[in-house]
Amino acid sequence: MGFFDRFSTDIGVDLGTCNTLIYLKGKIVINEPSVVAVEKGTGRVVAVGAEAKRMLWKTPGDIVAIRPLADGVIADMDNTEKMIKYFISRIIPKHQIIKSLRMKVGIPSCITEVEKRAVQEAALKAGAKEVQVMEESLAAAIGAQIPIHEPAGHMVCDIGGGTTEISVISLGSMVVTRAIRLGGNAFDEAIVKHVRSIHNLKIGAGTAERLKIEIGNASPTQTIKKMEIKGNDAITGLPRRLEIDSVEVREALKDPVNQIVNEIKLTLGQTPPELASDIIERGIVMTGGGSLLEGLPKLISKETGVPVILVESPLECVAVGAGQAFELFRDISSDRSIYDNLNN
């Protein structure tokens, strides 16, 4: 390693609809909500991340809190760039000398070439010297410590905030992949819609998210949990309280959950028989924040007849895998060059 190589920096990024995570030197160094609060008119950044998320739906007239990503893609280029630049400044102080900043970003496989270029452009404008993109499920598999270069089938289901991606991986590549623009945010939206239609109560996405996390579930549990929520009566407009239980939340989540289960079934149906037999033996690996919905792995296993494994840190897998991919693929390339020399 040359003298200047020691000053190069490689980071893995999960630029998520809900959260942005950055992996650097063996650990997650940023795990913040993908939210930017800006001053109206000037566009001056007031807050980013957790501080900005606390301002969502609660800002005064001169400040607006924005989620610059939607359904796994950039919806607001300018504020995405500002957000990435802010997070980079947090992990790499201005006085620190680096030769170059290389960034590998996990992206949904369902996005267009234009949307892919937008991710690269935002990262370059934010200060990266080189930006590479890789499919989220491939990054998640690496982050979950799956030996992706084995001649064997591995299935990964990554449920993010805006997208769900299911892939069968063998020999370092995705053999079959399906992705839909539906994830944890769709769970929140389903709860908001249900409470409005059944109880005539308007609640915010923040309240729906708390319901999902605290009492939400995808399959029946031994105990029924209850939670009190507050909102505005849809008819009178006045504030009102409501107690809701986990059975009702499960009912509210049924449609988006079933869509994910159906996508997994379709992916299994498209998988070559030899790889499918590997998956039956090894199981489906679940990653992403959406996979933390209580009872979801159990439901998927019941519906598919395949074991389901929820990884230890599902939220971190894409960022970790993207960061580790720099070294992993460099090692694989080195091994292949040895074989090429033997064959020549």
Side-chain angles (χ1 to χ4, degrees):
M1 181 183 287
F3 175 77
F4 287 106
D5 289 335
R6 286 180 290 173
F7 297 104
S8 63
T9 301
D10 294 344
I11 63 174
V13 181
D14 180 2
L15 197 60
T17 306
C18 294
N19 293 283
T20 294
L21 289 88
I22 298 178
Y23 173 89
L24 171 66
K25 294 179 180 177
K27 63 181 179 180
I28 295 291
V29 291
I30 293 289
N31 184 354
E32 296 262 1
S34 300
V35 184
V36 182
V38 297
E39 201 172 60
K40 280 186 180 177
T42 67
R44 184 179 69 87
V45 175
V46 177
V48 178
E51 187 182 350
K53 186 179 180 181
R54 287 194 289 271
M55 298 180 181
L56 276 173
W57 312 292
K58 297 179 180 179
T59 55
D62 60 334
I63 295 174
V64 58
I66 300 162
R67 288 192 182 274
L69 293 113
D71 299 333
V73 299
I74 293 174
D76 184 328
M77 185 73 168
D78 187 44
N79 282 307
T80 299
E81 179 196 328
K82 289 175 182 176
M83 182 178 74
I84 298 171
K85 189 177 287 186
Y86 170 79
F87 290 143
I88 290 173
S89 72
R90 286 258 308 271
I91 61 173
I92 304 172
K94 286 182 180 178
H95 66 269
Q96 185 175 330
I97 301 170
I98 60 169
K99 181 187 175 186
S100 64
L101 176 64
R102 295 199 308 167
M103 192 182 293
K104 197 179 285 283
V105 186
I107 58 167
S109 62
C110 59
I111 71 173
T112 65
E113 284 299 318
V114 172
E115 290 166 336
K116 189 185 296 184
R117 284 197 297 272
V119 171
Q120 293 172 310
E121 188 181 332
L124 288 167
K125 284 184 176 179
K129 293 293 183 288
E130 180 187 335
V131 181
Q132 301 172 16
V133 295
M134 70 183 301
E135 292 86 354
E136 282 182 340
S137 51
L138 192 59
I142 295 168
Q145 298 182 323
I146 293 172
I148 62 166
H149 288 287
E150 284 186 349
H154 302 274
M155 177 176 269
V156 177
C157 175
D158 182 68
I159 307 174
T163 59
T164 294
E165 185 164 300
I166 308 112
S167 297
V168 176
I169 300 165
S170 179
L171 289 170
S173 299
M174 298 195 303
V175 180
V176 181
T177 187
R178 294 182 66 89
I180 52 173
R181 299 197 183 205
L182 178 150
N185 282 355
F187 295 166
D188 300 341
E189 290 163 11
I191 292 170
V192 169
K193 186 177 178 182
H194 175 89
V195 173
R196 172 72 184 261
S197 63
I198 301 299
H199 300 285
N200 278 326
L201 187 70
K202 294 190 288 184
I203 62 171
T207 300
E209 185 181 33
R210 288 198 303 276
L211 275 170
K212 175 185 70 179
I213 293 169
E214 293 182 28
I215 67 170
N217 60 87
S219 54
T221 55
Q222 289 185 337
T223 58
I224 296 174
K225 300 176 184 176
K226 295 183 180 181
M227 180 177 161
E228 186 182 80
I229 57 174
K230 305 178 189 73
N232 289 81
D233 191 287
I235 298 169
T236 66
L238 297 173
R240 178 158 64 89
R241 298 170 184 266
L242 171 71
E243 187 176 76
I244 191 165
D245 65 35
S246 53
V247 175
E248 190 171 351
V249 176
R250 183 169 68 251
E251 185 63 31
L253 293 170
K254 188 175 284 186
D255 184 51
V257 164
N258 284 344
Q259 286 186 60
I260 290 171
V261 171
N262 287 337
E263 284 299 313
I264 293 171
K265 287 179 177 178
L266 288 169
T267 309
L268 284 167
Q270 294 173 355
T271 303
E274 290 301 318
L275 296 180
S277 65
D278 291 335
I279 293 164
I280 291 168
E281 186 180 325
R282 296 162 187 258
I284 300 167
V285 176
M286 300 275 297
T287 65
S291 63
L292 289 167
L293 178 67
E294 186 179 357
L296 184 55
K298 180 182 175 183
L299 176 69
I300 292 169
S301 182
K302 179 185 173 184
E303 291 289 325
T304 62
V306 178
V308 175
I309 301 102
L310 177 62
V311 299
E312 190 175 336
S313 302
L315 277 164
E316 299 179 357
C317 287
V318 171
V320 171
Q324 291 180 346
F326 279 111
E327 192 169 338
L328 177 64
F329 285 104
R330 186 163 57 238
D331 291 344
I332 295 299
S333 176
S334 175
D335 289 344
R336 283 177 180 162
S337 68
I338 292 169
Y339 290 126
D340 289 342
N341 290 334
L342 289 171
N343 292 324
N344 289 333

